[in-house]
Amino acid sequence: MEGEPSPRSGACFHQGSFPRAVNVDLQTDATLQVDISDALSERDKVKFTVHTKSTLPNFKQNEFSVVRQHEEFIWLHDSFVENEEYAGYIIPPAPPRPDFDASREKLQKLGEGEGSMTKEEFTKMKQELEAEYLAIFKKTVAMHEVFLCRVAAHPVLRKDMNFHVFLEYNQDLSVRGKNKREKMEDFFKNVVKSADGVLVAGVKDVDDFFEHEKTFLLEYHNRVKDASSKSDRMIRSHKSAADDINRIASTLYTLGTQDSTDVCKFFLKVSELFEKTRKIEARVAADEDLKLADLLKYYLRESQAAKDLLYRRGRALVDYENANKALDKARAKNKDVLQAETSQQVCCQKFEKISESAKQELIDFKTRRVAAFRKNLVELAELELKHAKGNLQLLQSCVGVLKGDT
Amino acid sequence: MAAEMEPPPLGDAGQTDFREIEDGEGFFVSTVTILESPEPSSPDPPSMPAEGISTNGPKQEDISLDDDPEDLFAEATEEVSLDSPEREPILSDGPSPAITPVTPTAMLTPRMGLGTAEMFERSLDELEEDESGDTFDMHIAVSDPEKVGDGMNAYMGYKVTTKTSMTIFSKNETTVRRRFSDFLGLHSKLASRYLHIGYIVPPAPEKSIVGMTKVKVGKEDLSSAEFVEKRRSALERYLMRTVKHPILLKDPDVMMFLESSELPRAVSTQALSGAGILRMVNKAADAVNKMTIKMNESDAWFEEKHQQFENLDLQLRKLHASVECLVCHRKELSVNTASFAKSAAMLGNSEDHTALSRALSQLAEVEEKIDQLHQDQAYADFYLFSELLGDYVRLITAVKGVFDHRMKTWSKWQDTQLLLQKKREAESKLQFANKPDKLQQAQDEIKEEIEELEGKVQQGEKDFELISKTIRKEVSRFEKERVKDFKVVIIKYLESLVQTQQQLIKYWEAFLPEAKAIA
């Protein structure tokens, strides 16, 4: 498709080339399988090809694909949130907006500074920036896919009408992004909600399970936030150090070619070594990013979604208690008793429905969380080991060669 | 005799830059060069603008007025910038083959676990064989920095221990206490004696106002400890390089420095002294001269070498800058890893699934150990790699200085020759003068002058040839040393990297079963 000249437009991926939903341990089920089989990056949007395989009767075909953009994912997510029926479930967190700004800026700066560096340096840096762009691209695809898979795996949400339309309707859903006014409305809604949330959270729950979950989630959410930002910083420093090694390797190479003495061999060999170790260091940073930082970021969003569930339940509880009080008052005054009774019934039902599903959801959340952490921590350790061993081997062989030369 | 070399220090006038000069500065920055006029035997330098005292004589001991007020600036003035080939700043003779890496002193907080101390052990087995066949067997250690005095008059005293089996030294092992200005004084003397005849005198470490002020003020923090350690290590390397040069080793000032328990205060090393002003003036003059000397290089070797050193200089500076960046980022990485470790520990605490909670705590511990590892590696990056590069950047400045001196020598010779020619022309003109009574007298005068000039021309030529020969020898020695130095350090540095990776493997291998144990 068309796209701008730089950064890579039309980055295409095909089936199976994406990391599978890395952060969640989901049982995929033959009745409904969803994945993102392809994606294209254009000027300021990414087009995802959502591919569905299903044996469910409500779909016209067994296998089909549509093209969706980020706004359409957000629309779907918001429709879940706004649906009262789903108040008792943890709504899978929406994928973050694809953000290539930083990467694009860097590529632009590189283009501007082209004159000031040698051809090799320029090509090298360009390659790296392109690789970075690619990595961000892959990540955003993975995150959108995870969202869809979570929905597909959820026993209730997977049946949602909007979800089916999202998967099947092969025209543009005409979902426009929120305009300014709507964004302002959202902002105020959030303010009100957080204030309310504080109030609601202050109400002590009779149920121990929920009381414990409330305290736990609050603390956990904050700590995950902190860990996520610290891990990001750590990984950034790691990348900077790898970049420095790159520059050192280049200068050593120049020194090696210029030098007429014995030591030129050393310079050249070490330059070569550093080129390789730098690549490994960059990979270490990338893997840490994927296995650690992304994991933490995802659970930041999920724990927020769980908090939201608790908030809705708390709200329903408060409403229920208020309805009870209203009913008592009505009975005392013997006025509008029937109305009060109905209203109280409704609140009671709502509250009990939410409580029932919420309990299961929170238990599932814990199971998923533990599984995801286990998987990622194990993979992180294995990758760190793999890279360290690779590095070690390169270093040792170089030292051996150099020592043999002296 | 050596003591007479020092022009007395004078009051402080002129500009001083109170910041650490790392890279080359312009000529007019107050770089205090610890050099005096090149001719030791010349009469007094032109009178100091600042103060009335202007002798080159041995009056320095009488000037006690400098002791206290000067102390403020004793350690606090800038060393020569890297870009001052004119005056003989810190020049190097044959650089020592062994880079004596830092042995962490007790002053540094014990962040040197993990056996990195061994990495930095001085390689005592690096002996140098002199060309003439004598074994060079000498080992100098600079240690035990101790603050002497209080407040702004305080200074750091260092213990200098010399161990040698060479017969020119009176004892096998000597220990003396020296302060930083003593080192500068030593260099200043050596430079004034040897640079202009073509010997590459190793540069002394740079002064630093910021660093020293912190120490004086008594800040017992990590950065001032690091500063002292950096300086101690630099002083050690400086001394080792100096004594590895066969000519410099035999210099009486060097021996006195290493052996005598009391050393006269080297006060002319201060920036804001009259000597300092003179140096600045001379430096400026030299800069102008350098631009106007156009030498006919008849020797392709010199042309080639000059170019080579220019290239080397450029690349080494670039490399040095990159390595300094790396050190900085690694320190940052260490800090960020530590902060992440704490955060992970907190997360582990709030996690209510026991096995996961334990695993997260383990992760936090691993990351904490890794942060230490990064810190140690940054230390190695710096002391092994970065400091070596810094030393060589300064050494090459010295080498360039020596080349410049050759140019000056040539120029002097040429000028004398020109003068001789003029006199000869004047002589022949005299033949046709028609004042017979004055003729004889004038002719005699001119004959005398011509004879004198002929002598000078011969001397000039000899000087030029000598300096050229010396430089050739020195450069070849320098190159040999450089190759050795770099080879040794590169291997040491790579070994430090190896060790880091080995530790990393150990840590992650310990963690993996914990992660797998999450049920």
Side-chain angles (χ1 to χ4, degrees):
Chain A
M1 273 204 189
E2 40 347 310
E4 83 276 67
S6 78
R8 303 178 43 165
S9 55
C12 278
F13 295 89
H14 294 282
Q15 201 142 11
S17 68
F18 295 132
R20 292 259 116 219
V22 283
N23 293 320
V24 282
D25 189 37
L26 299 169
Q27 279 96 357
T28 42
D29 161 4
T31 54
L32 181 59
Q33 272 176 347
V34 183
D35 64 85
I36 297 185
S37 58
D38 201 352
L40 211 56
S41 160
E42 286 186 5
R43 170 148 281 272
D44 48 0
K45 49 188 180 241
V46 182
K47 295 203 167 125
F48 304 96
T49 303
V50 177
H51 167 251
T52 316
K53 248 171 129 160
S54 173
T55 55
L56 291 176
N58 14 13
F59 294 115
K60 295 198 198 84
Q61 296 166 289
N62 279 359
E63 190 169 348
F64 48 90
S65 291
V66 295
V67 176
R68 290 284 171 249
Q69 289 183 35
H70 176 73
E71 285 76 21
E72 293 164 314
F73 287 77
I74 300 300
W75 164 82
L76 184 61
H77 171 261
D78 288 349
S79 78
F80 289 152
V81 171
E82 286 158 14
N83 189 333
E84 286 275 333
E85 289 293 304
Y86 300 143
Y89 305 122
I90 295 182
I91 310 293
R97 199 180 70 83
D99 181 15
F100 296 102
D101 288 345
S103 193
R104 237 183 244 128
E105 217 181 277
K106 278 198 216 167
L107 266 166
Q108 194 171 0
K109 264 203 215 139
L110 180 68
E112 285 166 10
E114 183 172 356
S116 69
M117 51 182 101
T118 68
K119 187 125 201 301
E120 293 90 31
E121 276 175 18
F122 179 74
T123 337
K124 238 206 282 186
M125 287 209 68
K126 185 150 173 279
Q127 273 174 357
E128 262 166 61
L129 284 179
E130 283 178 350
E132 200 180 292
Y133 189 87
L134 204 62
I136 298 179
F137 187 73
K138 280 194 188 158
K139 261 213 256 185
T140 190
V141 166
M143 294 197 270
H144 284 75
E145 192 179 69
V146 162
F147 170 69
L148 293 178
C149 292
R150 281 268 278 123
V151 175
H154 194 282
V156 173
L157 293 176
R158 76 203 317 232
K159 299 191 196 127
D160 182 83
M161 215 52 258
N162 283 336
F163 183 48
H164 289 186
V165 166
F166 178 94
L167 289 178
E168 202 179 19
Y169 186 63
N170 55 12
Q171 306 286 335
D172 187 3
L173 287 175
S174 300
V175 165
R176 59 177 175 72
K178 299 201 168 147
N179 65 23
K180 242 198 209 148
R181 190 171 61 90
E182 282 164 342
K183 283 199 182 136
M184 280 304 275
E185 281 175 2
D186 272 353
F187 173 71
F188 281 119
K189 256 195 243 166
N190 275 332
V191 170
V192 169
K193 182 171 155 226
S194 4
D196 196 31
V198 171
L199 252 112
V200 162
V203 174
K204 180 133 169 65
D205 206 317
V206 238
D207 190 328
D208 277 342
F209 174 81
F210 284 106
E211 189 58 33
H212 164 83
E213 285 295 309
K214 205 168 31 162
T215 351
F216 163 72
L217 269 177
L218 196 57
E219 193 186 60
Y220 187 80
H221 177 79
N222 287 338
R223 292 195 178 172
V224 163
K225 203 193 281 193
D226 187 53
S228 170
S229 84
K230 299 266 164 68
S231 77
D232 277 344
R233 250 190 279 170
M234 177 176 77
I235 292 169
R236 259 203 305 272
S237 297
H238 216 138
K239 284 207 188 106
S240 304
D243 284 342
D244 288 333
I245 298 181
N246 199 12
R247 269 196 297 272
I248 292 175
S250 300
T251 318
L252 278 174
Y253 181 76
T254 318
L255 269 172
T257 49
Q258 273 179 4
D259 203 299
S260 55
T261 65
D262 229 11
V263 80
C264 75
K265 226 177 336 173
F266 269 60
F267 287 149
L268 289 172
K269 210 101 232 333
V270 176
S271 165
E272 194 187 314
L273 169 72
F274 281 172
E275 288 276 341
K276 299 200 190 115
T277 58
R278 171 202 84 78
K279 286 208 179 83
I280 295 187
E281 287 299 326
R283 275 249 53 126
V284 170
D287 286 340
E288 284 178 347
D289 196 23
L290 218 55
K291 300 293 168 191
L292 195 56
D294 277 355
L295 174 72
L296 292 170
K297 280 199 200 84
Y298 185 80
Y299 277 93
L300 181 60
R301 296 199 299 275
E302 271 256 14
S303 58
Q304 181 62 48
K307 273 169 74 179
D308 289 343
L309 169 62
L310 280 182
Y311 163 71
R312 290 193 291 270
R313 179 177 172 279
R315 179 83 251 158
L317 177 60
V318 167
D319 289 344
Y320 179 35
E321 287 180 347
N322 288 345
N324 272 338
K325 288 199 197 113
L327 182 58
D328 288 342
K329 237 200 255 174
R331 284 202 179 129
K333 286 198 190 141
N334 211 348
K335 190 176 170 211
D336 293 325
V337 172
L338 194 59
Q339 194 183 17
E341 269 179 356
T342 352
S343 140
Q344 194 253 27
Q345 286 276 40
V346 164
C347 284
C348 175
Q349 271 168 0
K350 181 168 169 201
F351 172 69
E352 284 182 349
K353 179 165 173 242
I354 291 183
S355 287
E356 195 183 309
S357 57
K359 193 165 190 158
Q360 190 54 49
E361 287 281 305
L362 289 169
I363 292 175
D364 286 346
F365 171 59
K366 182 160 162 174
T367 322
R368 271 202 314 274
R369 182 174 81 240
V370 172
F373 268 79
R374 182 186 190 283
K375 176 167 179 284
N376 281 281
L377 288 179
V378 167
E379 284 176 2
L380 174 71
E382 287 175 346
L383 283 168
E384 294 267 6
L385 271 173
K386 174 170 149 216
H387 293 315
K389 286 188 178 144
N391 249 342
L392 181 66
Q393 202 222 11
L394 283 172
L395 286 167
Q396 277 175 332
S397 91
C398 185
V399 170
V401 167
L402 292 182
K403 271 186 164 158
D405 266 349
T406 44
Chain B
M1 183 188 104
E4 283 150 51
M5 302 301 294
E6 319 245 303
L10 300 179
D12 303 319
Q15 34 167 338
T16 324
D17 270 26
F18 285 89
R19 64 182 200 287
E20 203 160 357
I21 292 183
E22 289 288 290
D23 291 313
E25 310 272 320
F27 299 118
F28 293 93
V29 170
S30 89
T31 48
V32 183
T33 55
I34 39 193
L35 305 188
E36 296 93 42
S37 48
E39 275 79 37
S41 52
S42 78
D44 307 344
S47 55
M48 300 296 119
E51 239 107 306
I53 320 169
S54 62
T55 72
N56 209 2
K59 291 224 193 104
Q60 46 154 349
E61 280 97 343
D62 301 343
I63 317 291
S64 55
L65 54 85
D66 38 72
D67 258 357
D68 285 81
E70 302 300 85
D71 254 344
L72 179 66
F73 300 104
E75 253 93 16
T77 41
E78 302 308 340
E79 190 64 304
V80 163
S81 69
L82 297 179
D83 261 350
S84 52
E86 277 62 61
R87 272 0 195 98
E88 321 25 56
I90 16 260
L91 300 190
S92 156
D93 62 343
S96 46
I99 292 299
T100 48
V102 180
T103 306
T105 61
M107 278 222 26
L108 273 188
T109 48
R111 295 279 265 171
M112 289 293 292
L114 306 174
T116 38
E118 296 97 79
M119 278 197 277
F120 302 138
E121 287 284 82
R122 251 166 266 120
S123 33
L124 290 163
D125 35 44
E126 242 112 21
L127 302 178
E128 195 211 340
E129 294 272 331
D130 194 25
E131 277 119 334
S132 56
D134 300 335
T135 24
F136 173 78
D137 170 21
M138 191 151 167
H139 192 66
I140 302 186
V142 174
S143 59
D144 300 332
E146 249 171 48
K147 188 163 150 205
V148 177
D150 260 321
M152 289 314 276
N153 293 339
Y155 65 89
M156 263 321 191
Y158 301 90
K159 188 163 93 171
V160 178
T161 311
T162 312
K163 289 197 182 98
T164 176
S165 62
M166 292 170 83
T167 45
I168 48 171
F169 286 89
S170 53
K171 287 196 278 207
N172 271 8
E173 181 168 337
T174 330
T175 304
V176 292
R177 282 207 80 86
R178 295 280 176 258
R179 55 185 290 187
F180 186 65
S181 56
D182 294 336
F183 289 80
L184 295 184
L186 173 66
H187 173 254
S188 151
K189 291 179 192 151
L190 292 177
S192 66
R193 223 174 271 156
Y194 295 103
L195 270 178
H196 65 280
I197 46 177
Y199 288 100
I200 304 175
V201 177
E206 297 189 331
K207 296 190 193 186
S208 157
I209 289 199
V210 174
M212 266 328 279
T213 313
K214 269 207 218 145
V215 174
K216 283 190 214 269
V217 163
K219 265 180 105 192
E220 291 286 327
D221 66 353
L222 194 61
S223 73
S224 54
E226 275 178 14
F227 170 78
V228 171
E229 176 53 28
K230 185 173 161 189
R231 173 162 283 191
R232 184 207 66 79
S233 162
L235 290 174
E236 199 172 85
R237 293 197 303 272
Y238 164 66
L239 283 181
M240 283 303 285
R241 281 215 182 89
T242 305
V243 298
K244 285 214 166 104
H245 193 297
I247 308 288
L248 295 183
L249 172 61
K250 307 214 175 70
D251 185 285
D253 273 309
V254 169
M255 306 238 238
M256 195 163 85
F257 181 91
L258 292 175
E259 295 196 310
S260 69
S261 47
E262 285 297 317
L263 213 57
R265 268 290 303 282
V267 283
S268 68
T269 56
Q270 290 145 9
L272 305 184
S273 57
I277 309 290
L278 178 63
R279 285 193 280 270
M280 283 194 283
V281 168
N282 279 332
K283 221 165 121 161
D286 280 344
V288 174
N289 279 339
K290 186 174 168 197
M291 291 191 280
T292 54
I293 295 179
K294 213 35 185 94
M295 178 164 172
N296 298 336
E297 187 58 78
S298 53
D299 197 334
W301 185 91
F302 279 92
E303 188 72 48
E304 192 187 309
K305 281 296 168 194
H306 185 81
Q307 190 55 48
Q308 248 177 39
F309 280 115
E310 291 283 340
N311 291 343
L312 192 58
D313 188 32
L314 188 65
Q315 295 305 321
L316 283 183
R317 278 173 201 263
K318 222 163 124 193
L319 190 59
H320 188 215
S322 297
V323 174
E324 287 193 315
C325 258
L326 178 63
V327 172
C328 180
H329 284 138
R330 252 208 248 272
K331 285 204 181 128
E332 204 180 272
L333 178 59
S334 162
V335 166
N336 288 342
T337 308
S339 129
F340 171 70
K342 288 203 189 82
S343 186
M346 297 283 283
L347 185 63
N349 279 345
S350 61
E351 174 59 66
D352 60 355
H353 184 273
T354 5
L356 179 55
S357 168
R358 193 174 45 237
L360 284 172
S361 306
Q362 298 284 34
L363 179 67
E365 269 178 44
V366 167
E367 294 288 351
E368 209 180 296
K369 292 200 193 118
I370 291 181
D371 111 66
Q372 180 65 59
L373 208 57
H374 285 311
Q375 172 121 359
D376 293 341
Q377 183 61 62
Y379 196 82
D381 289 346
F382 181 72
Y383 279 101
L384 284 179
F385 209 359
S386 176
E387 286 285 79
L388 171 74
L389 292 172
D391 284 350
Y392 267 88
V393 170
R394 285 195 295 277
L395 277 171
I396 292 195
T397 308
V399 173
K400 293 209 280 192
V402 152
F403 273 70
D404 284 345
H405 268 290
R406 178 172 168 271
M407 232 172 50
K408 276 203 271 194
T409 314
W410 179 85
S411 163
K412 197 163 144 213
W413 171 33
Q414 296 300 314
D415 287 347
T416 324
Q417 232 175 11
L418 229 58
L419 200 55
L420 175 63
Q421 210 174 339
K422 282 208 184 98
K423 289 289 176 188
R424 286 207 172 120
E425 283 170 13
E427 190 189 30
S428 38
K429 278 213 190 96
L430 271 186
Q431 312 283 22
F432 306 106
N434 40 18
K435 295 223 176 82
D437 48 327
K438 287 209 185 118
L439 187 61
Q440 192 53 42
Q441 190 192 21
Q443 273 184 329
D444 286 339
E445 265 178 36
I446 283 229
K447 258 211 180 58
E448 238 178 80
E449 284 174 1
I450 287 183
E451 255 177 60
E452 195 187 325
L453 280 176
E454 276 173 352
K456 279 209 179 122
V457 165
Q458 259 184 11
Q459 185 61 39
E461 186 172 3
K462 265 208 330 244
D463 284 345
F464 179 72
E465 274 168 18
L466 182 61
I467 198 178
S468 300
K469 187 160 136 226
T470 310
I471 290 183
R472 274 178 195 265
K473 247 185 22 208
E474 286 286 289
V475 165
S476 116
R477 157 175 243 287
F478 177 82
E479 290 286 83
K480 255 188 21 207
E481 296 289 342
R482 177 170 76 88
V483 167
K484 244 200 252 179
D485 270 352
F486 271 87
K487 280 187 179 178
V488 165
V489 165
I490 285 178
I491 290 187
K492 277 220 179 80
Y493 180 63
L494 291 183
E495 286 179 339
S496 85
L497 292 174
V498 164
Q499 203 176 37
T500 302
Q501 294 301 318
Q502 283 171 330
Q503 288 292 90
L504 268 177
I505 290 177
K506 244 174 54 195
Y507 295 150
W508 286 110
E509 272 178 350
F511 176 71
L512 189 54
E514 290 291 339
K516 287 191 169 152
I518 303 173

